[in-house]
Amino acid sequence: MKVSVVQYTPEYLKVDANLDRLDGLCAATDADLIVLPELAASGYFFKSVADLVDVSEQIPDGRVCRRLQKIAQRRECTIVCGVAEKNGPYFFNSAVVVGAEGVAAAYRKVHLFYKEKELFRAGKEPYEVIDLYDRNGTKYRLGVMICFDWYFPEAARSLALKGADLIAHPSNLVRKDCPRAMPIRALENRVFTATANRTGSESHGDETLTFIGQSLICSPDGQAIGSLSATEEAVLTAEIDISEARNKRITPLNDLFLDRRPGRYYY
Ligand code: ACM
């Protein structure tokens, strides 16, 4: 199957213009799965709750979800995209998995980064994996985590233990370490990972966050099989053999999952 990650600079609060740009970027790939950044249509560093109210939406009926469905229908693909979710009085930093039929799954970010804690509630639902099919009818199992979740190996591990072959990772990375860590997240779980990061910067008061780009796709043997620069706006595509993620053998006598010793670990 083919997987793509999209890297670009959204305009703060310009949801419709950002969706137009994302639509155009998605047109540059014939991938089965396209991963877009965290909060891809809204921007990230909210200046006020009022700004977040303006761009947040209910899942599955909000404008971002509906537009993603149209793109997925047109391109006959599945899209993973970060969305500012509004649910009653609460906001979540969420990601949706959208196909031609609409939203197939949603994930609420569990590990909130920095000032996200002042605006969003952390997701409480367990990590889940969904079954999807590529254009050839080959099944793959998709897990989703968002940006800072990478810092907590338990997130990727939970998805892998639930059976994920591929982890989609919409991101707005500002710390430099993640591109070094993702090949390890892939290796230690023997899964594919697809990190879609944004570029550019956003300011709030006298503070500026600069997003590091460097989106990357990693294979179960811990290699970055493709990556983008810190600043380019581009689509990165890789052809992957999903069956590689199902082989958890390390040596003829070692298996990544069967050799785990949960009783020995500290939680
Ligand atoms: C992040 O979690 N957006 C750094």
Side-chain angles (χ1 to χ4, degrees):
M1 64 175 281
K2 270 192 200 173
V3 56
S4 288
V5 296
V6 171
Q7 175 170 301
Y8 91 121
T9 305
E11 281 187 82
Y12 183 68
L13 303 188
K14 300 269 171 48
V15 174
D16 292 325
N18 290 331
L19 287 169
D20 287 346
R21 284 221 57 211
L22 289 169
D23 199 332
L25 286 158
C26 288
T29 173
D30 62 351
D32 300 280
L33 179 75
I34 305 175
V35 185
L36 307 178
E38 176 183 12
L39 296 170
S42 59
Y44 176 80
F45 201 19
F46 293 104
K47 296 183 187 8
S48 64
V49 177
D51 280 1
L52 177 55
V53 169
D54 281 350
V55 295
S56 59
E57 67 179 56
Q58 294 198 329
I59 295 173
D61 297 321
R63 66 177 150 164
V64 175
C65 292
R66 280 186 281 116
R67 182 71 178 269
L68 294 171
Q69 181 181 0
K70 283 199 183 118
I71 301 171
Q73 281 168 349
R74 206 180 323 121
R75 309 219 61 76
E76 298 180 345
C77 68
T78 302
I79 300 173
V80 179
C81 181
V83 178
E85 179 187 356
K86 180 161 169 41
N87 186 281
Y90 304 121
F91 301 97
F92 296 91
N93 182 343
S94 297
V96 287
V97 181
V98 184
E101 311 294 321
V103 174
Y107 163 69
R108 292 171 170 165
K109 188 176 186 178
V110 168
H111 304 98
L112 297 177
F113 178 70
Y114 191 42
K115 293 190 176 167
E116 289 171 31
K117 291 189 172 192
E118 296 170 359
L119 293 170
F120 296 107
R121 297 199 110 187
K124 288 196 169 59
E125 299 80 10
Y127 283 93
E128 294 293 349
V129 165
I130 63 163
D131 293 350
L132 293 170
Y133 293 85
D134 69 14
R135 287 196 189 84
N136 295 325
T138 303
K139 182 169 128 177
Y140 64 101
R141 305 203 72 208
L142 182 77
V144 179
M145 63 183 198
I146 300 178
C147 201
F148 192 49
D149 285 331
W150 74 267
Y151 219 110
F152 301 85
E154 295 88 348
R157 177 65 106 206
S158 300
L159 291 168
L161 289 174
K162 281 264 172 124
D165 303 311
L166 167 59
I167 296 177
H169 183 212
S171 294
N172 275 192
L173 294 162
V174 291
R175 296 180 67 88
K176 66 174 171 31
D177 329 84
C178 182
R180 281 191 294 132
M182 286 314 292
I184 306 302
R185 293 290 97 82
L187 176 73
E188 67 199 3
N189 293 295
R190 294 268 171 134
V191 294
F192 290 94
T193 63
T195 300
N197 193 26
R198 60 161 288 177
T199 44
S201 61
E202 285 181 7
S203 298
H204 178 186
D206 56 7
E207 190 171 17
T208 297
L209 296 182
T210 299
F211 302 96
I212 65 161
Q214 301 172 71
S215 298
L216 73 168
I217 298 172
C218 302
S219 58
D221 59 355
Q223 303 295 323
I225 49 180
S227 60
L228 297 174
S229 79
T231 54
E232 68 189 312
E233 297 186 283
V235 181
L236 169 71
T237 301
E239 177 89 50
I240 62 174
D241 175 359
I242 208 71
S243 67
E244 286 174 23
R246 311 236 167 99
N247 178 7
K248 306 296 184 188
R249 299 305 292 178
I250 299 171
T251 76
L253 297 182
N254 292 102
D255 181 282
L256 179 65
F257 286 170
L258 298 179
D259 284 4
R260 293 178 66 246
R261 307 285 303 280
R264 297 272 166 187
Y265 304 150
Y266 180 76
Y267 288 99

